[in-house]
Amino acid sequence: MASLLRFFSVAFLGLLLAAGLGGCAAPNPVAVDYDPGFKFANLRSYHLLDTLANGPVSPFESKRASQAVDEMLRGTYTPAASRDAADFLVRVQLFSADKVAVYEDPFSIYGGYRYFGFGWRAPLRVREYRENTLIIDVLSPEEAPLWRGSMPSTATRYESPEQQMFRLREEAAMILARFPPYNDVGYD
C-alpha cells in the first residue's frame, strides 16, 4: 500500500511539473515579412541608415536601438564603407504609442452608501500604458523593401541605460535570427 501511495504521489508531482513547464512556453513575438522573389544569399555588406522614431521616443533610445542592431549584424555581415558600396541598407525604427486598456475586475466588492447596502459589482478598471515596437527593415540600395522584422519592445521598462541596451540587443538578436529567410538555395 505504501509503495502504491508513493507511486501516485510521484506521478502527481510529475504531472504538476509537466503542466507547469508546458505553460512557460511563450509564442515567438517576432513578425516577419519579405519579398519571396529576392535572392538573400547574395547579401554580404550593409549600410545602417538613420533611425526613425515615431511617438514619444527619446534620441537616446533611438541611438541604443541602432547600436544594438549594428552589433548583431556585424556578427554575420560586413559594414560597408559607404552607402553606395553596400549590398543592402538597414533602417531601424522605434514605434511608440500611448494606449488605454479598460477591463472589468470581477473580484471586487462594491460598498454602497446611503440608499444602497453592500453588494457585488464589477467596476471598470482603466490602465494607461505605452507600447513600443522595434522594427528592422532591410532595403535594396534603391530603398525598395526586401525584408521586415518586428516585435514588441520592453527595453524602456528598465531605468538604467545599460539594462535598456542589454534588452535591445536581445530583441535585435531575436528579430535578426529570422534574417535572411532561407527561401533561396544559391547565388545569382
Side-chain angles (χ1 to χ4, degrees):
M1 182 70 176
S3 63
L4 187 60
L5 184 61
R6 189 176 305 131
F7 170 76
F8 282 120
S9 62
V10 170
F12 180 71
L13 286 174
L15 286 174
L16 282 177
L17 182 63
L21 291 178
C24 293
N28 190 350
V30 177
V32 172
D33 196 9
Y34 62 92
D35 179 2
F38 186 77
K39 295 289 187 187
F40 289 92
N42 297 329
L43 301 179
R44 299 280 182 254
S45 62
Y46 71 95
H47 177 75
L48 196 61
L49 299 173
D50 291 335
T51 304
L52 296 178
N54 187 358
V57 177
S58 81
F60 296 110
E61 291 170 345
S62 297
K63 182 180 176 183
R64 285 185 202 107
S66 182
Q67 286 175 343
V69 171
D70 189 36
E71 288 175 14
M72 295 301 119
L73 284 171
R74 284 178 188 263
T76 309
Y77 300 97
T78 306
S82 69
R83 178 182 175 144
D84 297 332
D87 294 334
F88 65 99
L89 307 175
V90 177
R91 173 166 286 133
V92 179
Q93 298 180 51
L94 278 176
F95 180 78
S96 182
D98 292 328
K99 302 238 176 169
V100 176
V102 180
Y103 58 95
E104 289 185 18
D105 187 0
F107 300 109
S108 292
I109 295 176
Y110 175 75
Y113 179 70
R114 290 193 187 209
Y115 303 111
F116 301 103
F118 287 93
W120 178 82
R121 183 179 105 190
L124 292 177
R125 303 284 184 200
V126 178
R127 182 176 69 96
E128 294 180 14
Y129 64 98
R130 178 170 290 158
E131 183 176 85
N132 297 316
T133 305
L134 176 62
I135 303 168
I136 302 173
D137 287 320
V138 172
L139 310 167
S140 71
E142 298 81 29
E143 295 197 28
L146 301 176
W147 182 90
R148 171 176 271 195
S150 64
M151 74 176 289
S153 177
T154 60
T156 57
R157 294 181 187 170
Y158 299 101
E159 290 185 23
S160 78
E162 293 83 14
Q163 290 175 322
Q164 288 180 7
M165 188 65 186
F166 181 79
R167 183 61 190 154
L168 283 167
R169 282 187 193 111
E170 288 178 337
E171 292 169 354
M174 288 174 66
I175 294 171
L176 291 172
R178 308 242 337 243
F179 177 78
Y182 292 103
N183 63 335
D184 52 354
V185 292
Y187 300 96
D188 278 342

